Amino acid sequence: MSAFHFDGLVWHWPIAIYLFLAGMSAGAIFFAILLRYFCLGQRAWQSRFVRAACLIAPLAIWGGLGILLIDLTKPFDFWKILVFYNPISVMSLGVMVLMVYQVFMFAWLALVFRQPLQALTAEKWPWCGKALEWLRPYEATITGLTMILSLALGAYTGFLLSALPGYPLLNNPVLPVLFLMSGLSSGAAGALLLGVLLKGQADSAEVKFIHKIEIPLILIELLVIFTFFAGLILSGGQKQQAAANALGLGFWGWIFWGGIIGLGLSVPLAMNLFMTASAKRHFSYVAFTACMSLLGVLLLRNFILYTGQMTML
Protein backbone atom coordinates (compact mmCIF):
# COMPACT_ATOMS: atom_id res chain seq x y z
CA MET A 1 0.00 0.00 0.00
CA SER A 2 1.46 3.35 -1.12
CA ALA A 3 1.49 6.30 1.28
CA PHE A 4 -0.40 8.44 -1.25
CA HIS A 5 -2.40 5.83 -3.19
CA PHE A 6 -4.50 3.15 -1.52
CA ASP A 7 -8.01 1.74 -1.48
CA GLY A 8 -10.53 4.03 0.20
CA LEU A 9 -8.61 7.24 -0.55
CA VAL A 10 -11.13 9.96 -1.39
CA TRP A 11 -9.55 13.25 -0.29
CA HIS A 12 -6.06 14.04 -1.64
CA TRP A 13 -3.40 16.64 -0.79
CA PRO A 14 -5.31 19.67 -2.22
CA ILE A 15 -7.82 19.25 0.62
CA ALA A 16 -4.93 19.26 3.10
CA ILE A 17 -3.67 22.53 1.55
CA TYR A 18 -7.17 24.01 1.84
CA LEU A 19 -7.39 23.01 5.51
CA PHE A 20 -3.91 24.46 6.09
CA LEU A 21 -4.72 27.81 4.46
CA ALA A 22 -8.10 28.14 6.19
CA GLY A 23 -6.48 27.51 9.57
CA MET A 24 -3.68 29.98 8.79
CA SER A 25 -6.21 32.68 7.88
CA ALA A 26 -8.05 32.16 11.16
CA GLY A 27 -4.81 32.20 13.16
CA ALA A 28 -3.46 35.29 11.40
CA ILE A 29 -6.51 37.46 12.11
CA PHE A 30 -6.65 36.12 15.68
CA PHE A 31 -3.09 37.26 16.36
CA ALA A 32 -3.65 40.56 14.55
CA ILE A 33 -6.49 41.27 16.98
CA LEU A 34 -4.31 40.33 19.96
CA LEU A 35 -1.52 42.61 18.74
CA ARG A 36 -3.95 45.47 18.18
CA TYR A 37 -5.61 45.37 21.61
CA PHE A 38 -2.95 43.91 23.91
CA CYS A 39 0.32 45.15 22.48
CA LEU A 40 0.24 48.09 20.05
CA GLY A 41 -3.02 49.98 20.48
CA GLN A 42 -4.06 52.60 17.90
CA ARG A 43 -0.69 52.47 16.11
CA ALA A 44 -1.20 48.79 15.20
CA TRP A 45 -1.71 49.57 11.50
CA GLN A 46 1.87 50.82 11.31
CA SER A 47 3.33 47.48 12.45
CA ARG A 48 4.86 45.30 9.74
CA PHE A 49 3.67 42.22 11.63
CA VAL A 50 0.06 43.39 11.86
CA ARG A 51 0.18 44.28 8.16
CA ALA A 52 1.59 40.83 7.43
CA ALA A 53 -1.19 39.12 9.42
CA CYS A 54 -3.82 41.28 7.71
CA LEU A 55 -2.43 40.31 4.29
CA ILE A 56 -2.29 36.62 5.13
CA ALA A 57 -5.87 36.43 6.49
CA PRO A 58 -7.75 37.22 3.24
CA LEU A 59 -5.15 35.83 0.82
CA ALA A 60 -4.97 32.48 2.62
CA ILE A 61 -8.73 31.98 2.74
CA TRP A 62 -9.10 32.98 -0.93
CA GLY A 63 -6.26 30.66 -1.90
CA GLY A 64 -7.83 27.81 0.05
CA LEU A 65 -11.24 28.37 -1.52
CA GLY A 66 -9.61 28.54 -4.97
CA ILE A 67 -7.93 25.16 -4.40
CA LEU A 68 -11.19 23.69 -3.13
CA LEU A 69 -13.05 25.03 -6.16
CA ILE A 70 -10.54 23.54 -8.60
CA ASP A 71 -10.63 20.19 -6.78
CA LEU A 72 -14.42 19.89 -7.03
CA THR A 73 -15.83 17.45 -9.56
CA LYS A 74 -18.28 20.14 -10.75
CA PRO A 75 -16.58 23.48 -9.97
CA PHE A 76 -19.18 25.52 -11.87
CA ASP A 77 -21.88 24.33 -9.46
CA PHE A 78 -20.00 25.77 -6.47
CA TRP A 79 -22.39 28.73 -6.26
CA LYS A 80 -25.18 26.39 -5.15
CA ILE A 81 -23.57 25.71 -1.77
CA LEU A 82 -23.37 29.50 -1.25
CA VAL A 83 -27.13 29.86 -1.80
CA PHE A 84 -28.67 26.66 -0.45
CA TYR A 85 -27.80 25.82 3.15
CA ASN A 86 -28.45 22.61 5.04
CA PRO A 87 -28.41 23.22 8.82
CA ILE A 88 -27.49 19.60 9.56
CA SER A 89 -24.59 19.47 7.08
CA VAL A 90 -21.12 20.21 8.52
CA MET A 91 -19.87 21.38 5.13
CA SER A 92 -22.86 23.67 4.62
CA LEU A 93 -22.43 25.18 8.08
CA GLY A 94 -18.74 25.59 7.39
CA VAL A 95 -19.43 27.54 4.19
CA MET A 96 -21.78 29.78 6.19
CA VAL A 97 -19.03 30.42 8.75
CA LEU A 98 -16.58 31.17 5.91
CA MET A 99 -18.90 33.75 4.36
CA VAL A 100 -19.79 35.52 7.62
CA TYR A 101 -16.15 35.38 8.76
CA GLN A 102 -15.02 37.24 5.64
CA VAL A 103 -17.62 39.98 6.12
CA PHE A 104 -16.52 40.71 9.69
CA MET A 105 -12.84 40.22 8.85
CA PHE A 106 -12.95 42.95 6.20
CA ALA A 107 -14.99 45.21 8.47
CA TRP A 108 -12.34 44.82 11.19
CA LEU A 109 -9.48 45.38 8.73
CA ALA A 110 -11.16 48.55 7.52
CA LEU A 111 -11.42 49.86 11.09
CA VAL A 112 -7.79 49.01 11.91
CA PHE A 113 -6.55 50.80 8.79
CA ARG A 114 -9.11 53.58 9.11
CA GLN A 115 -6.59 56.43 9.17
CA PRO A 116 -4.68 55.57 5.97
CA LEU A 117 -7.91 54.58 4.20
CA GLN A 118 -9.57 57.89 5.03
CA ALA A 119 -6.52 59.80 3.83
CA LEU A 120 -6.37 57.76 0.62
CA THR A 121 -10.06 58.08 -0.27
CA ALA A 122 -10.79 61.62 1.01
CA GLU A 123 -10.82 63.29 -2.41
CA LYS A 124 -12.25 60.71 -4.83
CA TRP A 125 -14.37 58.53 -2.55
CA PRO A 126 -15.53 60.60 0.44
CA TRP A 127 -18.33 58.09 1.10
CA CYS A 128 -15.65 55.61 2.20
CA GLY A 129 -14.65 57.83 5.10
CA LYS A 130 -18.29 58.26 6.08
CA ALA A 131 -18.81 54.49 6.05
CA LEU A 132 -15.78 54.01 8.29
CA GLU A 133 -17.05 56.62 10.73
CA TRP A 134 -20.42 54.87 10.77
CA LEU A 135 -18.70 51.57 11.64
CA ARG A 136 -16.46 53.08 14.30
CA PRO A 137 -18.95 52.93 17.24
CA TYR A 138 -19.38 49.20 16.59
CA GLU A 139 -15.65 48.40 16.66
CA ALA A 140 -15.81 46.40 19.90
CA THR A 141 -18.70 44.27 18.61
CA ILE A 142 -17.02 43.70 15.23
CA THR A 143 -13.76 42.76 16.96
CA GLY A 144 -15.45 40.27 19.28
CA LEU A 145 -17.40 38.62 16.48
CA THR A 146 -14.33 38.49 14.23
CA MET A 147 -12.35 36.71 16.95
CA ILE A 148 -15.18 34.24 17.64
CA LEU A 149 -15.58 33.54 13.92
CA SER A 150 -11.83 33.04 13.49
CA LEU A 151 -11.87 30.44 16.26
CA ALA A 152 -14.95 28.81 14.69
CA LEU A 153 -13.20 28.67 11.32
CA GLY A 154 -10.09 27.12 12.87
CA ALA A 155 -12.16 24.46 14.60
CA TYR A 156 -14.33 23.89 11.50
CA THR A 157 -11.33 22.56 9.58
CA GLY A 158 -11.29 19.71 12.10
CA PHE A 159 -15.07 19.28 12.29
CA LEU A 160 -15.12 18.81 8.51
CA LEU A 161 -13.05 15.62 8.88
CA SER A 162 -14.37 14.45 12.25
CA ALA A 163 -17.89 14.26 10.81
CA LEU A 164 -16.90 11.21 8.72
CA PRO A 165 -18.23 8.23 10.74
CA GLY A 166 -16.64 5.55 8.58
CA TYR A 167 -13.06 6.54 9.46
CA PRO A 168 -12.13 5.77 13.09
CA LEU A 169 -9.07 8.05 13.19
CA LEU A 170 -10.93 11.03 11.73
CA ASN A 171 -14.14 10.48 13.67
CA ASN A 172 -12.50 11.87 16.81
CA PRO A 173 -13.92 14.70 18.99
CA VAL A 174 -10.38 15.95 19.73
CA LEU A 175 -9.63 16.64 16.05
CA PRO A 176 -11.31 20.10 15.91
CA VAL A 177 -9.29 21.21 18.96
CA LEU A 178 -6.07 19.91 17.40
CA PHE A 179 -6.73 21.70 14.11
CA LEU A 180 -7.68 24.90 15.96
CA MET A 181 -4.42 24.90 17.96
CA SER A 182 -2.30 24.13 14.90
CA GLY A 183 -4.18 26.76 12.86
CA LEU A 184 -3.40 29.41 15.47
CA SER A 185 0.27 28.32 15.37
CA SER A 186 0.40 28.62 11.58
CA GLY A 187 -1.22 32.08 11.70
CA ALA A 188 1.35 33.29 14.23
CA ALA A 189 4.23 31.75 12.26
CA GLY A 190 2.98 33.21 8.98
CA ALA A 191 2.68 36.69 10.49
CA LEU A 192 6.19 36.46 11.95
CA LEU A 193 7.78 35.18 8.74
CA LEU A 194 6.11 37.69 6.42
CA GLY A 195 6.61 40.44 8.99
CA VAL A 196 10.39 40.05 9.11
CA LEU A 197 10.46 39.71 5.29
CA LEU A 198 8.67 43.08 5.17
CA LYS A 199 11.57 44.53 7.19
CA GLY A 200 9.89 44.27 10.58
CA GLN A 201 12.31 44.29 13.51
CA ALA A 202 13.04 40.74 14.72
CA ASP A 203 13.51 42.04 18.28
CA SER A 204 10.32 44.12 18.30
CA ALA A 205 7.56 44.11 20.92
CA GLU A 206 5.27 42.28 18.48
CA VAL A 207 7.69 39.35 18.06
CA LYS A 208 8.21 39.07 21.82
CA PHE A 209 4.44 39.20 22.40
CA ILE A 210 3.73 36.44 19.86
CA HIS A 211 6.55 34.24 21.17
CA LYS A 212 5.17 34.46 24.70
CA ILE A 213 1.87 33.05 23.40
CA GLU A 214 3.50 30.52 21.08
CA ILE A 215 5.28 28.65 23.86
CA PRO A 216 2.11 27.62 25.78
CA LEU A 217 0.34 27.13 22.44
CA ILE A 218 2.93 24.53 21.35
CA LEU A 219 2.72 22.79 24.73
CA ILE A 220 -1.08 22.65 24.47
CA GLU A 221 -0.78 21.29 20.93
CA LEU A 222 1.54 18.52 22.14
CA LEU A 223 -0.95 17.68 24.91
CA VAL A 224 -3.84 17.60 22.43
CA ILE A 225 -1.89 15.28 20.10
CA PHE A 226 -1.19 12.96 23.04
CA THR A 227 -4.88 13.03 24.00
CA PHE A 228 -5.91 12.41 20.39
CA PHE A 229 -3.86 9.22 20.02
CA ALA A 230 -4.28 8.04 23.62
CA GLY A 231 -8.05 8.06 23.10
CA LEU A 232 -7.68 5.98 19.93
CA ILE A 233 -5.33 3.44 21.52
CA LEU A 234 -7.43 3.00 24.66
CA SER A 235 -10.61 2.54 22.59
CA GLY A 236 -9.29 -0.69 21.07
CA GLY A 237 -10.59 -2.32 17.90
CA GLN A 238 -10.44 -0.36 14.67
CA LYS A 239 -9.53 2.87 16.45
CA GLN A 240 -6.46 1.24 17.96
CA GLN A 241 -5.56 -0.19 14.55
CA ALA A 242 -5.94 3.25 12.99
CA ALA A 243 -3.52 4.71 15.56
CA ALA A 244 -1.06 1.86 14.96
CA ASN A 245 -1.17 2.44 11.20
CA ALA A 246 -0.57 6.16 11.67
CA LEU A 247 2.22 5.95 14.25
CA GLY A 248 4.04 2.92 12.84
CA LEU A 249 7.49 2.96 11.28
CA GLY A 250 6.25 3.46 7.72
CA PHE A 251 6.37 6.67 5.69
CA TRP A 252 3.68 8.45 7.70
CA GLY A 253 5.22 7.28 10.96
CA TRP A 254 8.47 9.04 10.04
CA ILE A 255 6.50 12.12 9.00
CA PHE A 256 4.78 12.18 12.40
CA TRP A 257 7.79 11.61 14.66
CA GLY A 258 10.43 13.39 12.61
CA GLY A 259 8.44 16.04 10.77
CA ILE A 260 5.57 16.98 13.09
CA ILE A 261 6.87 16.22 16.59
CA GLY A 262 10.54 16.87 15.77
CA LEU A 263 10.81 19.71 13.25
CA GLY A 264 7.32 21.17 13.57
CA LEU A 265 6.90 21.31 17.36
CA SER A 266 10.10 20.47 19.27
CA VAL A 267 12.41 22.71 17.22
CA PRO A 268 10.11 25.80 17.41
CA LEU A 269 9.57 25.20 21.13
CA ALA A 270 13.31 24.99 21.76
CA MET A 271 13.98 28.06 19.60
CA ASN A 272 11.24 30.06 21.32
CA LEU A 273 12.63 29.16 24.73
CA PHE A 274 16.14 30.07 23.55
CA MET A 275 15.03 33.45 22.16
CA THR A 276 13.04 34.18 25.33
CA ALA A 277 16.11 33.47 27.47
CA SER A 278 18.53 35.36 25.21
CA ALA A 279 18.90 39.12 25.22
CA LYS A 280 18.13 39.71 21.53
CA ARG A 281 16.25 38.04 18.70
CA HIS A 282 17.66 37.90 15.18
CA PHE A 283 16.08 37.69 11.74
CA SER A 284 17.47 34.20 11.07
CA TYR A 285 16.14 32.83 14.37
CA VAL A 286 12.64 34.22 13.90
CA ALA A 287 12.43 33.23 10.21
CA PHE A 288 13.75 29.69 10.80
CA THR A 289 11.42 29.09 13.75
CA ALA A 290 8.42 30.33 11.75
CA CYS A 291 9.34 28.12 8.78
CA MET A 292 9.56 25.05 11.01
CA SER A 293 6.17 25.82 12.56
CA LEU A 294 4.56 26.21 9.14
CA LEU A 295 6.16 22.99 7.92
CA GLY A 296 4.89 21.13 10.98
CA VAL A 297 1.30 22.33 10.51
CA LEU A 298 1.33 21.50 6.80
CA LEU A 299 2.67 18.01 7.53
CA LEU A 300 0.07 17.54 10.27
CA ARG A 301 -2.78 18.34 7.87
CA ASN A 302 -1.48 15.84 5.30
CA PHE A 303 -0.70 13.24 7.97
CA ILE A 304 -4.21 13.35 9.46
CA LEU A 305 -5.89 13.41 6.06
CA TYR A 306 -4.04 10.45 4.58
CA THR A 307 -3.63 8.20 7.64
CA GLY A 308 -7.23 8.92 8.59
CA GLN A 309 -8.41 7.33 5.35
CA MET A 310 -6.21 4.25 5.63
CA THR A 311 -8.43 2.49 8.20
CA MET A 312 -12.18 2.13 7.64
CA LEU A 313 -14.87 0.58 9.82
Side-chain angles (χ1 to χ4, degrees), residues 6-11 167 309-310 312:
F6 48 85
D7 292 338
L9 181 65
V10 178
W11 288 354
Y167 300 92
Q309 296 178 84
M310 284 181 176
M312 299 178 64

Side-chain angles (χ1 to χ4, degrees), residues 10 25 34 40 61 76 86 88 101 112 148 151 171-172 175 180 191 205 215 223 226 238 240 259 289:
V10 178
S25 175
L34 292 184
L40 301 172
I61 199 65
F76 295 108
N86 181 359
I88 61 173
Y101 161 76
V112 170
I148 291 170
L151 294 174
N171 189 221
N172 191 319
L175 187 58
L180 172 59
I215 293 173
L223 178 62
F226 173 80
Q238 289 296 317
Q240 188 178 57
T289 304

Side-chain angles (χ1 to χ4, degrees), residues 123-136:
E123 293 185 7
K124 294 186 177 180
W125 301 292
W127 57 268
C128 185
K130 294 179 181 179
L132 289 171
E133 288 301 321
W134 179 81
L135 281 176
R136 194 172 178 180

